[in-house]
Amino acid sequence: MTVLAKPYLTDVEASVEQLVYVREDEYTVARMSSEGLAGFVASGRALAGVQPGETLRLAGEWEEHPRHGSRLVVRRCERVVPSTVRAITLYLGSGLIRGIGPRLAHAIVSHFGERTLTVIDTEPERLTEVVNIGAARQAQIVQAWAEQKKVAALMVVLQGFGISPLLATKIYQVYGNDSRDVLTRDPYRLIGQVRGIAFHTADRIALRSGVPEHSPQRIKAAVLDRLETAAARDGHCFLPLPALLAAAASLVEQEEELIRRAVDALLAERRVVVETAPAGPGQVVYAKEQHGREVALAAHLARLLRARSTLPLRAFEEHQGLDEDQRAAVNLALTSTVSVLTGGPGCGKSHTVRVIAATVRAMGGTVTLTAPTGKAAKRLSELTRLPAVTVHRLLAQQPEREEGTLFQQSPAEADLIVVDEASMLDLQLATRLTAAIPAGSHLLLVGDSDQLPSIGPGSVLADLLRVEEVPRIRLTRVFRQAQDSGIVRAAHRIRAGELPALPGRGGFWFEELDDPDQVADRVVHLATEAIPRKQDVSRDQVQVLCPMRKGATGTAELGRRLQERLNPAREGAAEHWSGPSVFRVGDRVMPIRNNYDKGVFNGETATVTAVNPQDRLVEIRTDDGESVAYTFDELDELTHSYAISVHRSQGSEYPFVVAPIVAEAGGVMLRRRLLYTLVTRAKSWVVLVGQREALELAVHRLGYRRNTGLALRLALSLES
């Protein structure tokens, strides 16, 4: 970039016409308009959080971008009240004030002119003078106006703490009029209560508010944060006490003795649980919620394992076409109240489940088929020709009741409950499910133990396989129809720690490129042009999976590029920016949080059907045909699915998969289970693009074992 011979601009007022680009580090590019200047482009991190329609006072200098031309690089940005008729119309019609769209904004400003905002602020009853504004609409506008003013004031407070103004709305949603008081008096309350605020953000606010670095409040927050981070990032249910002390001490730069006192205080407050492991790391520390779930899950599983079967077992016809292990699996599921069926791709798990379900039904029993994700449930239903639902929907259909009453007086009553893709069951979901199953029903967990564990904390399937008393069988024979699949062959070689035959054939292909930027270019081309054209399929049949989120080949950057290629901005079409993400009609999206009120769950896929600035809503239609609305303030519950992580692809199967394999940032995510899971997501073809050494690293690097106590608890429960 070169600096143009134009003066440094100060105190220039301009309105935000459109956001062009927002990066994850909040670097923002926007098109601006001003009465003193022709339309221009402004950029910089100082613009973080600005929205179309806002009027800003800017200071900065002009630079010449080699690709995008002249732009104002903003060094200082201040929100101001719009003062001109055009700026006021743009502000009111942008969707910032719920209940006012472009047409109504024009009508209001045409009636009140430059006094419009003063009227709304001091004489709101006069809004009914405008056609189409009745008492109800007037009240809605007044309330939205008051909320917007409070959020704007909160943004100023956050900027004073050096915190992103994007968090102001989220804080206000949780605390309302108490928001400022919470910020200044007890900022550590924000952790876990406000999405997007972790320890570092709350700590910055606290320290700038005068909280001492050695404050017990601060140290306790650091301990809880390290436990929560270990659960959310690494799936651990506990941390060994020495590791927790070291991690928290490093976080707050204090002595470990202070950390130990904080652990003792949290123990006295019953916010953590400290146990001594019979073997291994000695004393370990759980967050109270994780400990409670693990204890409960062990108890529920022990209850189910000990129960007398209520399955109406009687002689059944031996099914032809099953090998010895499959027949054993059928017998195991019919005779054991809890059993586990595992095996790799092509080993006949689905066919075995179909036979088990058919046999139970032939004996007069009932079957419930379920899986952690919608796509996995749909695939299970197609393979068995029986209805299947997600575990979340199954539980959501049942009100919270006493233990063991899920199916009582319910059309979902079942003698056999089959959970496919059981490696995806985390501690919380498994606890809720097993708590609801009545004693005597049979629970069959089906999965591939070599795949990635759940996104949430815990390692339920792996833990059950470590308990000898849990009946299980592993299918190992690859059937002839699967032996010709390059995907199946590659998957089994990866599972064995061997590099697949390269470049591959019959559904598996590796294309070697070294430079990450070139890899990204190739992935985008393959997904949007080459594969759809060569295979004569639509673009939505190709899914991009990424081992990492950041970098040129991560989900964020590749997702942005794919969106711009597949669903670019259109003149006159509504769109809405939420942080670094822009939502447009036609976007493919995925909920990343369970929302029982909306009836949507983590991992489902959907399409954006409407973006409504006036009502501040984005509407989606799930692949199950359900229409769901999200407010603009809830959009962090959605992520675009143009490029998704391998973890989020679990339980799904795609006709064609393209994935970058690059050792960026040391390739910390490149591990055998991740690569194995990635390859087995493809049905017809998987194309890997990247570095051979990165592929070799992934094949040979084993994953870490999660800190869980479930296996030991269950074993002890069954002994007692």
Side-chain angles (χ1 to χ4, degrees), residues 3-308:
V3 179
L4 297 179
K6 291 188 179 181
Y8 185 92
L9 294 179
T10 59
D11 297 335
V12 173
E13 285 194 14
S15 297
V16 182
E17 295 277 351
Q18 182 185 16
L19 295 180
V20 176
Y21 176 58
V22 182
R23 216 162 52 195
E24 287 202 328
D25 63 0
E26 299 185 344
Y27 174 85
T28 301
V29 179
R31 290 193 178 93
M32 312 291 296
S33 63
S34 171
E35 293 201 347
L37 289 169
F40 63 96
V41 173
S43 66
R45 290 188 180 89
L47 294 173
V50 302
Q51 292 292 323
E54 289 186 312
T55 297
L56 311 173
R57 183 175 291 119
L58 305 174
E61 62 268 357
W62 293 97
E63 288 185 354
E64 187 70 26
H65 191 280
R67 289 177 57 195
H68 304 296
S70 178
R71 63 174 58 183
L72 179 66
V73 179
V74 179
R75 306 302 181 193
R76 179 169 54 81
C77 169
E78 176 187 355
R79 289 171 171 81
V80 297
V81 177
S83 57
T84 67
V85 167
R86 186 182 186 283
I88 294 170
T89 304
L90 182 64
Y91 175 69
L92 291 180
S94 65
L96 286 168
I97 308 300
R98 188 174 60 256
I100 303 180
R103 290 185 180 180
L104 190 56
H106 179 76
I108 294 172
V109 179
S110 295
H111 188 77
F112 296 113
E114 293 183 354
R115 295 195 66 253
T116 295
L117 300 184
T118 302
V119 169
I120 296 175
D121 203 31
T122 62
E123 302 176 89
E125 66 279 358
R126 291 191 59 194
L127 285 171
T128 56
E129 297 174 12
V130 180
V131 176
N132 293 328
I133 297 183
R137 176 66 64 86
Q138 184 258 358
Q140 180 187 24
I141 292 171
V142 169
Q143 180 183 357
W145 173 258
E147 290 176 354
Q148 178 63 21
K149 286 180 63 178
K150 291 172 182 175
V151 169
L154 202 57
M155 286 181 173
V156 175
V157 175
L158 289 175
Q159 285 179 313
F161 288 124
I163 303 299
S164 169
L166 290 171
L167 295 171
T169 300
K170 297 178 184 177
I171 294 172
Y172 185 81
Q173 282 181 310
V174 176
Y175 300 110
N177 293 333
D178 296 329
S179 298
R180 186 161 186 168
D181 189 57
V182 171
L183 278 173
T184 54
R185 292 179 180 272
D186 191 10
Y188 294 109
R189 279 179 61 190
L190 301 168
I191 303 172
Q193 294 186 10
V194 179
R195 295 192 301 269
I197 295 187
F199 178 83
H200 285 291
T201 300
D203 195 46
R204 183 184 299 178
I205 297 171
L207 293 177
R208 293 196 179 188
S209 299
V211 173
E213 291 186 357
H214 57 275
S215 161
Q217 176 192 28
R218 180 176 186 244
I219 306 302
K220 287 191 290 186
V223 170
L224 294 174
D225 174 78
R226 292 300 84 187
L227 289 173
E228 173 60 30
T229 299
R233 185 185 63 197
D234 300 319
H236 295 315
C237 295
F238 66 78
L239 283 178
L241 179 59
L244 175 60
L245 297 178
S250 175
L251 182 64
V252 294
E253 298 181 339
Q254 298 293 316
E255 297 295 325
E256 286 193 12
E257 181 56 35
L258 279 178
I259 312 299
R260 186 177 290 274
R261 291 179 201 166
V263 172
D264 291 340
L266 290 167
L267 180 62
E269 296 168 9
R270 298 185 178 181
R271 299 172 70 186
V272 302
V273 175
V274 179
E275 291 186 338
T276 301
Q283 283 193 310
V284 300
V285 184
Y286 286 83
K288 179 184 176 181
E289 294 79 9
Q290 301 295 356
H291 183 266
R293 288 168 184 155
E294 194 174 88
V295 169
L297 179 55
H300 297 319
L301 286 167
R303 171 179 61 85
L304 296 174
L305 279 161
R306 290 195 185 105
R308 183 186 298 272

Side-chain angles (χ1 to χ4, degrees), residues 488-640:
V488 172
R489 287 196 304 272
H492 282 280
R493 289 183 65 88
I494 291 167
R495 185 180 66 81
E498 301 173 0
L499 196 68
L502 301 180
R505 64 182 179 84
F508 174 85
W509 189 262
F510 175 70
E511 185 170 325
E512 188 169 0
L513 283 174
D514 187 61
D515 180 70
D517 291 325
Q518 292 180 353
V519 171
D521 291 341
R522 183 60 176 162
V523 167
V524 171
H525 177 71
L526 284 167
T528 61
E529 301 294 337
I531 291 177
R533 182 176 61 249
K534 184 174 182 179
Q535 300 294 330
D536 192 24
V537 297
S538 62
R539 290 171 166 179
D540 60 9
Q541 297 291 295
V542 186
Q543 179 63 55
V544 173
L545 302 181
C546 302
M548 294 177 291
R549 190 177 68 86
K550 296 184 178 180
T553 60
T555 56
E557 180 61 19
L558 275 178
R560 182 191 66 80
R561 292 182 59 178
L562 288 164
Q563 182 189 31
E564 288 306 308
R565 181 73 64 90
L566 299 172
N567 193 27
R570 297 183 300 277
E571 187 72 28
E575 62 178 35
H576 179 74
W577 284 85
S578 176
S581 300
V582 58
F583 291 86
R584 300 172 181 139
V585 172
D587 278 338
R588 294 291 293 166
V589 294
M590 174 184 292
I592 57 175
R593 292 187 182 87
N594 301 326
N595 191 318
Y596 289 91
D597 292 333
K598 297 182 186 297
V600 294
F601 303 101
N602 187 354
E604 293 184 330
T605 49
T607 302
V608 175
T609 55
V611 177
N612 186 335
Q614 178 168 324
D615 295 326
R616 296 182 59 79
L617 293 174
V618 167
E619 297 175 12
I620 68 171
R621 180 176 292 276
T622 69
D623 289 351
D624 292 334
E626 300 291 329
S627 293
V628 183
Y630 284 82
T631 69
F632 283 177
D633 301 328
E634 296 174 320
L635 290 178
D636 59 353
E637 294 187 17
L638 294 177
T639 187
H640 290 84

